[in-house]
PDB file of all heavy atoms in Angstrom:
ATOM      1  N   VAL A  27      -6.219  28.064   1.463  1.00  0.00           N
ATOM      2  CA  VAL A  27      -7.463  27.330   1.243  1.00  0.00           C
ATOM      3  C   VAL A  27      -7.367  26.200   0.270  1.00  0.00           C
ATOM      4  O   VAL A  27      -7.880  25.107   0.411  1.00  0.00           O
ATOM      5  CB  VAL A  27      -8.584  28.428   0.870  1.00  0.00           C
ATOM      6  CG1 VAL A  27      -9.796  27.627   0.364  1.00  0.00           C
ATOM      7  CG2 VAL A  27      -8.873  29.344   1.878  1.00  0.00           C
ATOM      8  N   ALA A  28      -6.619  26.541  -0.908  1.00  0.00           N
ATOM      9  CA  ALA A  28      -6.354  25.413  -1.915  1.00  0.00           C
ATOM     10  C   ALA A  28      -5.664  24.234  -1.316  1.00  0.00           C
ATOM     11  O   ALA A  28      -6.002  23.086  -1.511  1.00  0.00           O
ATOM     12  CB  ALA A  28      -5.588  26.071  -3.099  1.00  0.00           C
ATOM     13  N   GLN A  29      -4.640  24.585  -0.514  1.00  0.00           N
ATOM     14  CA  GLN A  29      -3.902  23.536   0.128  1.00  0.00           C
ATOM     15  C   GLN A  29      -4.764  22.649   1.121  1.00  0.00           C
ATOM     16  O   GLN A  29      -4.632  21.490   1.109  1.00  0.00           O
ATOM     17  CB  GLN A  29      -2.569  24.013   0.884  1.00  0.00           C
ATOM     18  CG  GLN A  29      -1.544  24.556   0.011  1.00  0.00           C
ATOM     19  CD  GLN A  29      -0.368  25.148   0.760  1.00  0.00           C
ATOM     20  OE1 GLN A  29      -0.495  25.359   1.925  1.00  0.00           O
ATOM     21  NE2 GLN A  29       0.757  25.380  -0.011  1.00  0.00           N
ATOM     22  N   GLN A  30      -5.537  23.372   1.842  1.00  0.00           N
ATOM     23  CA  GLN A  30      -6.439  22.709   2.706  1.00  0.00           C
ATOM     24  C   GLN A  30      -7.462  21.784   2.043  1.00  0.00           C
ATOM     25  O   GLN A  30      -7.627  20.682   2.461  1.00  0.00           O
ATOM     26  CB  GLN A  30      -7.192  23.722   3.623  1.00  0.00           C
ATOM     27  CG  GLN A  30      -8.034  23.092   4.702  1.00  0.00           C
ATOM     28  CD  GLN A  30      -8.710  24.095   5.566  1.00  0.00           C
ATOM     29  OE1 GLN A  30      -8.551  25.332   5.350  1.00  0.00           O
ATOM     30  NE2 GLN A  30      -9.423  23.634   6.554  1.00  0.00           N
ATOM     31  N   VAL A  31      -7.987  22.368   0.938  1.00  0.00           N
ATOM     32  CA  VAL A  31      -8.890  21.483   0.133  1.00  0.00           C
ATOM     33  C   VAL A  31      -8.177  20.271  -0.341  1.00  0.00           C
ATOM     34  O   VAL A  31      -8.701  19.221  -0.457  1.00  0.00           O
ATOM     35  CB  VAL A  31      -9.478  22.344  -0.995  1.00  0.00           C
ATOM     36  CG1 VAL A  31     -10.279  21.516  -1.964  1.00  0.00           C
ATOM     37  CG2 VAL A  31     -10.421  23.388  -0.378  1.00  0.00           C
ATOM     38  N   GLN A  32      -6.926  20.560  -0.892  1.00  0.00           N
ATOM     39  CA  GLN A  32      -6.110  19.407  -1.429  1.00  0.00           C
ATOM     40  C   GLN A  32      -5.902  18.384  -0.395  1.00  0.00           C
ATOM     41  O   GLN A  32      -5.921  17.131  -0.654  1.00  0.00           O
ATOM     42  CB  GLN A  32      -4.860  19.897  -2.018  1.00  0.00           C
ATOM     43  CG  GLN A  32      -4.074  18.846  -2.711  1.00  0.00           C
ATOM     44  CD  GLN A  32      -2.777  19.402  -3.312  1.00  0.00           C
ATOM     45  OE1 GLN A  32      -2.436  20.673  -3.109  1.00  0.00           O
ATOM     46  NE2 GLN A  32      -2.030  18.619  -3.992  1.00  0.00           N
ATOM     47  N   VAL A  33      -5.573  18.720   0.828  1.00  0.00           N
ATOM     48  CA  VAL A  33      -5.209  17.816   1.937  1.00  0.00           C
ATOM     49  C   VAL A  33      -6.408  17.041   2.333  1.00  0.00           C
ATOM     50  O   VAL A  33      -6.394  15.840   2.569  1.00  0.00           O
ATOM     51  CB  VAL A  33      -4.541  18.520   3.084  1.00  0.00           C
ATOM     52  CG1 VAL A  33      -4.393  17.670   4.233  1.00  0.00           C
ATOM     53  CG2 VAL A  33      -3.181  19.155   2.675  1.00  0.00           C
ATOM     54  N   THR A  34      -7.536  17.735   2.504  1.00  0.00           N
ATOM     55  CA  THR A  34      -8.739  17.101   3.063  1.00  0.00           C
ATOM     56  C   THR A  34      -9.595  16.368   2.045  1.00  0.00           C
ATOM     57  O   THR A  34     -10.592  15.692   2.440  1.00  0.00           O
ATOM     58  CB  THR A  34      -9.556  18.095   3.783  1.00  0.00           C
ATOM     59  OG1 THR A  34     -10.033  19.170   2.831  1.00  0.00           O
ATOM     60  CG2 THR A  34      -8.861  18.791   4.922  1.00  0.00           C
ATOM     61  N   THR A  35      -9.358  16.497   0.738  1.00  0.00           N
ATOM     62  CA  THR A  35     -10.020  15.819  -0.288  1.00  0.00           C
ATOM     63  C   THR A  35      -9.764  14.270  -0.087  1.00  0.00           C
ATOM     64  O   THR A  35      -8.659  13.838  -0.250  1.00  0.00           O
ATOM     65  CB  THR A  35      -9.620  16.263  -1.634  1.00  0.00           C
ATOM     66  OG1 THR A  35      -9.905  17.662  -1.780  1.00  0.00           O
ATOM     67  CG2 THR A  35     -10.431  15.489  -2.768  1.00  0.00           C
ATOM     68  N   PRO A  36     -10.838  13.461   0.146  1.00  0.00           N
ATOM     69  CA  PRO A  36     -10.651  12.017   0.343  1.00  0.00           C
ATOM     70  C   PRO A  36     -10.126  11.408  -0.980  1.00  0.00           C
ATOM     71  O   PRO A  36     -10.542  11.705  -2.112  1.00  0.00           O
ATOM     72  CB  PRO A  36     -12.031  11.453   0.680  1.00  0.00           C
ATOM     73  CG  PRO A  36     -12.767  12.664   1.146  1.00  0.00           C
ATOM     74  CD  PRO A  36     -12.209  13.820   0.314  1.00  0.00           C
ATOM     75  N   ARG A  37      -9.265  10.410  -0.798  1.00  0.00           N
ATOM     76  CA  ARG A  37      -8.802   9.678  -2.005  1.00  0.00           C
ATOM     77  C   ARG A  37      -9.649   8.526  -2.208  1.00  0.00           C
ATOM     78  O   ARG A  37      -9.972   7.785  -1.403  1.00  0.00           O
ATOM     79  CB  ARG A  37      -7.301   9.160  -1.594  1.00  0.00           C
ATOM     80  CG  ARG A  37      -6.652   8.254  -2.662  1.00  0.00           C
ATOM     81  CD  ARG A  37      -5.262   7.846  -2.249  1.00  0.00           C
ATOM     82  NE  ARG A  37      -4.745   6.991  -3.228  1.00  0.00           N
ATOM     83  CZ  ARG A  37      -3.549   6.333  -3.034  1.00  0.00           C
ATOM     84  NH1 ARG A  37      -2.828   6.526  -1.944  1.00  0.00           N
ATOM     85  NH2 ARG A  37      -3.086   5.483  -3.920  1.00  0.00           N
ATOM     86  N   HIS A  38      -9.975   8.393  -3.511  1.00  0.00           N
ATOM     87  CA  HIS A  38     -10.815   7.302  -3.871  1.00  0.00           C
ATOM     88  C   HIS A  38     -10.022   6.026  -4.129  1.00  0.00           C
ATOM     89  O   HIS A  38      -9.073   6.120  -4.923  1.00  0.00           O
ATOM     90  CB  HIS A  38     -11.639   7.652  -5.096  1.00  0.00           C
ATOM     91  CG  HIS A  38     -12.591   6.495  -5.537  1.00  0.00           C
ATOM     92  ND1 HIS A  38     -13.789   6.191  -4.802  1.00  0.00           N
ATOM     93  CD2 HIS A  38     -12.575   5.620  -6.577  1.00  0.00           C
ATOM     94  CE1 HIS A  38     -14.371   5.170  -5.420  1.00  0.00           C
ATOM     95  NE2 HIS A  38     -13.603   4.837  -6.460  1.00  0.00           N
ATOM     96  N   LEU A  39     -10.444   4.884  -3.558  1.00  0.00           N
ATOM     97  CA  LEU A  39      -9.734   3.685  -3.688  1.00  0.00           C
ATOM     98  C   LEU A  39     -10.526   2.584  -4.196  1.00  0.00           C
ATOM     99  O   LEU A  39     -11.630   2.330  -3.605  1.00  0.00           O
ATOM    100  CB  LEU A  39      -9.142   3.211  -2.345  1.00  0.00           C
ATOM    101  CG  LEU A  39      -8.075   4.039  -1.599  1.00  0.00           C
ATOM    102  CD1 LEU A  39      -7.726   3.588  -0.272  1.00  0.00           C
ATOM    103  CD2 LEU A  39      -6.867   4.134  -2.468  1.00  0.00           C
ATOM    104  N   THR A  40     -10.146   1.921  -5.223  1.00  0.00           N
ATOM    105  CA  THR A  40     -10.806   0.673  -5.683  1.00  0.00           C
ATOM    106  C   THR A  40     -10.246  -0.488  -4.885  1.00  0.00           C
ATOM    107  O   THR A  40      -9.269  -0.366  -4.161  1.00  0.00           O
ATOM    108  CB  THR A  40     -10.525   0.407  -7.192  1.00  0.00           C
ATOM    109  OG1 THR A  40      -9.089   0.304  -7.437  1.00  0.00           O
ATOM    110  CG2 THR A  40     -11.070   1.676  -7.989  1.00  0.00           C
ATOM    111  N   LEU A  41     -10.835  -1.665  -5.035  1.00  0.00           N
ATOM    112  CA  LEU A  41     -10.395  -2.752  -4.316  1.00  0.00           C
ATOM    113  C   LEU A  41      -9.021  -3.186  -4.663  1.00  0.00           C
ATOM    114  O   LEU A  41      -8.186  -3.532  -3.863  1.00  0.00           O
ATOM    115  CB  LEU A  41     -11.356  -3.948  -4.527  1.00  0.00           C
ATOM    116  CG  LEU A  41     -11.017  -5.271  -3.806  1.00  0.00           C
ATOM    117  CD1 LEU A  41     -10.887  -5.065  -2.306  1.00  0.00           C
ATOM    118  CD2 LEU A  41     -12.047  -6.366  -4.119  1.00  0.00           C
ATOM    119  N   PRO A  42      -8.649  -3.254  -5.972  1.00  0.00           N
ATOM    120  CA  PRO A  42      -7.146  -3.448  -6.364  1.00  0.00           C
ATOM    121  C   PRO A  42      -6.260  -2.451  -5.699  1.00  0.00           C
ATOM    122  O   PRO A  42      -5.175  -2.774  -5.384  1.00  0.00           O
ATOM    123  CB  PRO A  42      -7.184  -3.386  -7.897  1.00  0.00           C
ATOM    124  CG  PRO A  42      -8.578  -3.810  -8.235  1.00  0.00           C
ATOM    125  CD  PRO A  42      -9.451  -3.152  -7.239  1.00  0.00           C
ATOM    126  N   ASP A  43      -6.683  -1.177  -5.604  1.00  0.00           N
ATOM    127  CA  ASP A  43      -5.855  -0.195  -4.999  1.00  0.00           C
ATOM    128  C   ASP A  43      -5.605  -0.463  -3.567  1.00  0.00           C
ATOM    129  O   ASP A  43      -4.406  -0.333  -3.088  1.00  0.00           O
ATOM    130  CB  ASP A  43      -6.393   1.248  -5.114  1.00  0.00           C
ATOM    131  CG  ASP A  43      -6.579   1.717  -6.626  1.00  0.00           C
ATOM    132  OD1 ASP A  43      -5.745   1.190  -7.421  1.00  0.00           O
ATOM    133  OD2 ASP A  43      -7.361   2.546  -6.870  1.00  0.00           O
ATOM    134  N   ALA A  44      -6.603  -0.862  -2.931  1.00  0.00           N
ATOM    135  CA  ALA A  44      -6.501  -1.209  -1.470  1.00  0.00           C
ATOM    136  C   ALA A  44      -5.607  -2.405  -1.259  1.00  0.00           C
ATOM    137  O   ALA A  44      -4.732  -2.485  -0.288  1.00  0.00           O
ATOM    138  CB  ALA A  44      -7.859  -1.491  -0.913  1.00  0.00           C
ATOM    139  N   ILE A  45      -5.717  -3.414  -2.134  1.00  0.00           N
ATOM    140  CA  ILE A  45      -4.811  -4.566  -1.982  1.00  0.00           C
ATOM    141  C   ILE A  45      -3.357  -4.279  -2.231  1.00  0.00           C
ATOM    142  O   ILE A  45      -2.484  -4.712  -1.483  1.00  0.00           O
ATOM    143  CB  ILE A  45      -5.279  -5.648  -2.939  1.00  0.00           C
ATOM    144  CG1 ILE A  45      -6.683  -6.211  -2.578  1.00  0.00           C
ATOM    145  CG2 ILE A  45      -4.324  -6.875  -3.078  1.00  0.00           C
ATOM    146  CD1 ILE A  45      -7.260  -7.100  -3.519  1.00  0.00           C
ATOM    147  N   GLN A  46      -3.147  -3.437  -3.232  1.00  0.00           N
ATOM    148  CA  GLN A  46      -1.742  -2.986  -3.487  1.00  0.00           C
ATOM    149  C   GLN A  46      -1.074  -2.141  -2.431  1.00  0.00           C
ATOM    150  O   GLN A  46       0.025  -2.473  -2.044  1.00  0.00           O
ATOM    151  CB  GLN A  46      -1.701  -2.166  -4.863  1.00  0.00           C
ATOM    152  CG  GLN A  46      -0.365  -2.059  -5.432  1.00  0.00           C
ATOM    153  CD  GLN A  46       0.323  -3.325  -5.814  1.00  0.00           C
ATOM    154  OE1 GLN A  46      -0.425  -4.288  -6.259  1.00  0.00           O
ATOM    155  NE2 GLN A  46       1.529  -3.485  -5.841  1.00  0.00           N
ATOM    156  N   LEU A  47      -1.886  -1.359  -1.778  1.00  0.00           N
ATOM    157  CA  LEU A  47      -1.394  -0.522  -0.621  1.00  0.00           C
ATOM    158  C   LEU A  47      -1.121  -1.461   0.514  1.00  0.00           C
ATOM    159  O   LEU A  47      -0.098  -1.245   1.258  1.00  0.00           O
ATOM    160  CB  LEU A  47      -2.346   0.577  -0.329  1.00  0.00           C
ATOM    161  CG  LEU A  47      -2.501   1.719  -1.268  1.00  0.00           C
ATOM    162  CD1 LEU A  47      -3.655   2.657  -0.869  1.00  0.00           C
ATOM    163  CD2 LEU A  47      -1.135   2.566  -1.284  1.00  0.00           C
ATOM    164  N   ALA A  48      -2.024  -2.387   0.801  1.00  0.00           N
ATOM    165  CA  ALA A  48      -1.884  -3.203   1.953  1.00  0.00           C
ATOM    166  C   ALA A  48      -0.544  -4.117   1.807  1.00  0.00           C
ATOM    167  O   ALA A  48       0.127  -4.435   2.679  1.00  0.00           O
ATOM    168  CB  ALA A  48      -3.055  -4.183   2.086  1.00  0.00           C
ATOM    169  N   LYS A  49      -0.238  -4.601   0.530  1.00  0.00           N
ATOM    170  CA  LYS A  49       0.953  -5.399   0.234  1.00  0.00           C
ATOM    171  C   LYS A  49       2.234  -4.520   0.721  1.00  0.00           C
ATOM    172  O   LYS A  49       3.213  -5.200   1.147  1.00  0.00           O
ATOM    173  CB  LYS A  49       1.026  -5.757  -1.229  1.00  0.00           C
ATOM    174  CG  LYS A  49       0.053  -6.848  -1.608  1.00  0.00           C
ATOM    175  CD  LYS A  49       0.395  -7.158  -3.068  1.00  0.00           C
ATOM    176  CE  LYS A  49      -0.574  -8.218  -3.513  1.00  0.00           C
ATOM    177  NZ  LYS A  49      -0.343  -8.509  -4.981  1.00  0.00           N
ATOM    178  N   ALA A  50       2.254  -3.213   0.459  1.00  0.00           N
ATOM    179  CA  ALA A  50       3.336  -2.513   0.810  1.00  0.00           C
ATOM    180  C   ALA A  50       3.489  -2.112   2.259  1.00  0.00           C
ATOM    181  O   ALA A  50       4.519  -1.697   2.709  1.00  0.00           O
ATOM    182  CB  ALA A  50       3.353  -1.194  -0.004  1.00  0.00           C
ATOM    183  N   ASN A  51       2.459  -2.363   3.080  1.00  0.00           N
ATOM    184  CA  ASN A  51       2.434  -1.921   4.509  1.00  0.00           C
ATOM    185  C   ASN A  51       2.188  -3.020   5.583  1.00  0.00           C
ATOM    186  O   ASN A  51       2.356  -2.754   6.627  1.00  0.00           O
ATOM    187  CB  ASN A  51       1.462  -0.814   4.636  1.00  0.00           C
ATOM    188  CG  ASN A  51       1.764   0.492   3.931  1.00  0.00           C
ATOM    189  OD1 ASN A  51       2.567   1.248   4.318  1.00  0.00           O
ATOM    190  ND2 ASN A  51       1.071   0.697   2.769  1.00  0.00           N
ATOM    191  N   GLU A  52       1.782  -4.172   5.076  1.00  0.00           N
ATOM    192  CA  GLU A  52       1.387  -5.221   6.060  1.00  0.00           C
ATOM    193  C   GLU A  52       2.619  -6.033   6.399  1.00  0.00           C
ATOM    194  O   GLU A  52       3.337  -6.488   5.579  1.00  0.00           O
ATOM    195  CB  GLU A  52       0.291  -6.140   5.402  1.00  0.00           C
ATOM    196  CG  GLU A  52      -0.630  -6.695   6.437  1.00  0.00           C
ATOM    197  CD  GLU A  52       0.017  -7.909   7.154  1.00  0.00           C
ATOM    198  OE1 GLU A  52       0.749  -8.710   6.476  1.00  0.00           O
ATOM    199  OE2 GLU A  52      -0.239  -8.114   8.340  1.00  0.00           O
ATOM    200  N   PRO A  53       2.987  -6.134   7.737  1.00  0.00           N
ATOM    201  CA  PRO A  53       4.182  -6.740   8.106  1.00  0.00           C
ATOM    202  C   PRO A  53       4.334  -8.257   7.911  1.00  0.00           C
ATOM    203  O   PRO A  53       5.365  -8.745   7.592  1.00  0.00           O
ATOM    204  CB  PRO A  53       4.292  -6.390   9.629  1.00  0.00           C
ATOM    205  CG  PRO A  53       2.937  -6.114  10.016  1.00  0.00           C
ATOM    206  CD  PRO A  53       2.201  -5.539   8.863  1.00  0.00           C
ATOM    207  N   THR A  54       3.188  -8.898   8.061  1.00  0.00           N
ATOM    208  CA  THR A  54       3.167 -10.369   7.825  1.00  0.00           C
ATOM    209  C   THR A  54       3.519 -10.693   6.471  1.00  0.00           C
ATOM    210  O   THR A  54       4.342 -11.631   6.194  1.00  0.00           O
ATOM    211  CB  THR A  54       1.872 -10.999   8.251  1.00  0.00           C
ATOM    212  OG1 THR A  54       1.561 -10.759   9.591  1.00  0.00           O
ATOM    213  CG2 THR A  54       1.835 -12.545   8.103  1.00  0.00           C
ATOM    214  N   PHE A  55       2.894  -9.997   5.489  1.00  0.00           N
ATOM    215  CA  PHE A  55       3.261 -10.257   4.059  1.00  0.00           C
ATOM    216  C   PHE A  55       4.675  -9.864   3.840  1.00  0.00           C
ATOM    217  O   PHE A  55       5.353 -10.558   2.996  1.00  0.00           O
ATOM    218  CB  PHE A  55       2.233  -9.420   3.186  1.00  0.00           C
ATOM    219  CG  PHE A  55       2.521  -9.613   1.766  1.00  0.00           C
ATOM    220  CD1 PHE A  55       2.149 -10.700   1.023  1.00  0.00           C
ATOM    221  CD2 PHE A  55       3.171  -8.578   1.002  1.00  0.00           C
ATOM    222  CE1 PHE A  55       2.345 -10.828  -0.323  1.00  0.00           C
ATOM    223  CE2 PHE A  55       3.497  -8.781  -0.315  1.00  0.00           C
ATOM    224  CZ  PHE A  55       2.989  -9.890  -1.060  1.00  0.00           C
ATOM    225  N   ALA A  56       5.194  -8.738   4.334  1.00  0.00           N
ATOM    226  CA  ALA A  56       6.556  -8.366   4.166  1.00  0.00           C
ATOM    227  C   ALA A  56       7.494  -9.398   4.706  1.00  0.00           C
ATOM    228  O   ALA A  56       8.519  -9.697   3.998  1.00  0.00           O
ATOM    229  CB  ALA A  56       6.806  -7.020   4.873  1.00  0.00           C
ATOM    230  N   THR A  57       7.213 -10.056   5.809  1.00  0.00           N
ATOM    231  CA  THR A  57       8.022 -11.132   6.308  1.00  0.00           C
ATOM    232  C   THR A  57       7.971 -12.380   5.419  1.00  0.00           C
ATOM    233  O   THR A  57       9.077 -12.949   5.180  1.00  0.00           O
ATOM    234  CB  THR A  57       7.573 -11.534   7.755  1.00  0.00           C
ATOM    235  OG1 THR A  57       7.546 -10.368   8.631  1.00  0.00           O
ATOM    236  CG2 THR A  57       8.414 -12.615   8.289  1.00  0.00           C
ATOM    237  N   ALA A  58       6.811 -12.683   4.846  1.00  0.00           N
ATOM    238  CA  ALA A  58       6.794 -13.816   3.907  1.00  0.00           C
ATOM    239  C   ALA A  58       7.587 -13.501   2.728  1.00  0.00           C
ATOM    240  O   ALA A  58       8.217 -14.390   2.099  1.00  0.00           O
ATOM    241  CB  ALA A  58       5.319 -14.107   3.657  1.00  0.00           C
ATOM    242  N   LEU A  59       7.503 -12.270   2.229  1.00  0.00           N
ATOM    243  CA  LEU A  59       8.285 -11.898   0.972  1.00  0.00           C
ATOM    244  C   LEU A  59       9.722 -11.979   1.182  1.00  0.00           C
ATOM    245  O   LEU A  59      10.454 -12.512   0.472  1.00  0.00           O
ATOM    246  CB  LEU A  59       7.901 -10.475   0.632  1.00  0.00           C
ATOM    247  CG  LEU A  59       8.589  -9.902  -0.646  1.00  0.00           C
ATOM    248  CD1 LEU A  59       8.283 -10.798  -1.840  1.00  0.00           C
ATOM    249  CD2 LEU A  59       8.178  -8.496  -0.915  1.00  0.00           C
ATOM    250  N   ALA A  60      10.227 -11.516   2.479  1.00  0.00           N
ATOM    251  CA  ALA A  60      11.629 -11.568   2.788  1.00  0.00           C
ATOM    252  C   ALA A  60      12.122 -13.055   2.915  1.00  0.00           C
ATOM    253  O   ALA A  60      13.162 -13.401   2.434  1.00  0.00           O
ATOM    254  CB  ALA A  60      11.850 -10.844   4.037  1.00  0.00           C
ATOM    255  N   THR A  61      11.255 -13.876   3.455  1.00  0.00           N
ATOM    256  CA  THR A  61      11.562 -15.280   3.644  1.00  0.00           C
ATOM    257  C   THR A  61      11.685 -15.928   2.264  1.00  0.00           C
ATOM    258  O   THR A  61      12.639 -16.731   1.995  1.00  0.00           O
ATOM    259  CB  THR A  61      10.517 -16.009   4.486  1.00  0.00           C
ATOM    260  OG1 THR A  61      10.390 -15.396   5.765  1.00  0.00           O
ATOM    261  CG2 THR A  61      10.801 -17.464   4.615  1.00  0.00           C
ATOM    262  N   GLN A  62      10.822 -15.673   1.373  1.00  0.00           N
ATOM    263  CA  GLN A  62      10.873 -16.219  -0.014  1.00  0.00           C
ATOM    264  C   GLN A  62      12.132 -15.760  -0.757  1.00  0.00           C
ATOM    265  O   GLN A  62      12.831 -16.643  -1.295  1.00  0.00           O
ATOM    266  CB  GLN A  62       9.650 -15.846  -0.802  1.00  0.00           C
ATOM    267  CG  GLN A  62       9.529 -16.407  -2.191  1.00  0.00           C
ATOM    268  CD  GLN A  62      10.065 -15.518  -3.249  1.00  0.00           C
ATOM    269  OE1 GLN A  62      10.202 -14.338  -3.077  1.00  0.00           O
ATOM    270  NE2 GLN A  62      10.480 -16.096  -4.366  1.00  0.00           N
ATOM    271  N   GLN A  63      12.487 -14.489  -0.642  1.00  0.00           N
ATOM    272  CA  GLN A  63      13.683 -14.076  -1.266  1.00  0.00           C
ATOM    273  C   GLN A  63      14.926 -14.644  -0.641  1.00  0.00           C
ATOM    274  O   GLN A  63      15.847 -14.946  -1.397  1.00  0.00           O
ATOM    275  CB  GLN A  63      13.713 -12.468  -1.223  1.00  0.00           C
ATOM    276  CG  GLN A  63      12.556 -11.820  -2.057  1.00  0.00           C
ATOM    277  CD  GLN A  63      12.535 -10.341  -1.811  1.00  0.00           C
ATOM    278  OE1 GLN A  63      13.099  -9.813  -0.848  1.00  0.00           O
ATOM    279  NE2 GLN A  63      11.936  -9.608  -2.744  1.00  0.00           N
ATOM    280  N   SER A  64      14.904 -14.791   0.616  1.00  0.00           N
ATOM    281  CA  SER A  64      16.060 -15.388   1.274  1.00  0.00           C
ATOM    282  C   SER A  64      16.219 -16.885   0.954  1.00  0.00           C
ATOM    283  O   SER A  64      17.372 -17.349   0.620  1.00  0.00           O
ATOM    284  CB  SER A  64      15.954 -15.257   2.860  1.00  0.00           C
ATOM    285  OG  SER A  64      16.987 -15.929   3.462  1.00  0.00           O
ATOM    286  N   ALA A  65      15.110 -17.603   0.816  1.00  0.00           N
ATOM    287  CA  ALA A  65      15.167 -18.983   0.375  1.00  0.00           C
ATOM    288  C   ALA A  65      15.584 -19.093  -0.998  1.00  0.00           C
ATOM    289  O   ALA A  65      16.316 -20.100  -1.332  1.00  0.00           O
ATOM    290  CB  ALA A  65      13.754 -19.674   0.593  1.00  0.00           C
ATOM    291  N   LYS A  66      15.234 -18.265  -1.813  1.00  0.00           N
ATOM    292  CA  LYS A  66      15.749 -18.273  -3.202  1.00  0.00           C
ATOM    293  C   LYS A  66      17.263 -18.088  -3.304  1.00  0.00           C
ATOM    294  O   LYS A  66      17.895 -18.731  -4.050  1.00  0.00           O
ATOM    295  CB  LYS A  66      14.992 -17.164  -4.029  1.00  0.00           C
ATOM    296  CG  LYS A  66      15.247 -17.171  -5.550  1.00  0.00           C
ATOM    297  CD  LYS A  66      14.489 -16.138  -6.219  1.00  0.00           C
ATOM    298  CE  LYS A  66      14.645 -16.159  -7.725  1.00  0.00           C
ATOM    299  NZ  LYS A  66      13.919 -15.180  -8.456  1.00  0.00           N
ATOM    300  N   ILE A  67      17.734 -17.212  -2.516  1.00  0.00           N
ATOM    301  CA  ILE A  67      19.245 -16.953  -2.411  1.00  0.00           C
ATOM    302  C   ILE A  67      19.954 -18.182  -1.860  1.00  0.00           C
ATOM    303  O   ILE A  67      20.975 -18.693  -2.345  1.00  0.00           O
ATOM    304  CB  ILE A  67      19.567 -15.738  -1.563  1.00  0.00           C
ATOM    305  CG1 ILE A  67      19.047 -14.477  -2.291  1.00  0.00           C
ATOM    306  CG2 ILE A  67      21.044 -15.613  -1.326  1.00  0.00           C
ATOM    307  CD1 ILE A  67      19.112 -13.206  -1.541  1.00  0.00           C
TER     308      ILE A  67
END
């Protein structure tokens, strides 16, 4: 029951939290980041 409560408890996200999570998962931003790092090299 404790594990179930822990799993189903919604995570509270502020706007900065959402932006930070999106940066780590959005493919277009990841491509732009890779392009910038490659151009720097």
Side-chain angles (χ1 to χ4, degrees):
V27 171
Q29 290 177 345
Q30 184 176 4
V31 171
Q32 183 179 4
V33 170
T34 58
T35 300
R37 176 181 176 182
H38 180 73
L39 295 176
T40 63
L41 180 57
D43 294 336
I45 293 174
Q46 195 64 31
L47 289 172
K49 286 182 180 180
N51 293 282
E52 210 280 324
T54 303
F55 179 78
T57 301
L59 179 60
T61 302
Q62 184 267 337
Q63 293 174 342
S64 178
K66 188 175 181 180
I67 294 175

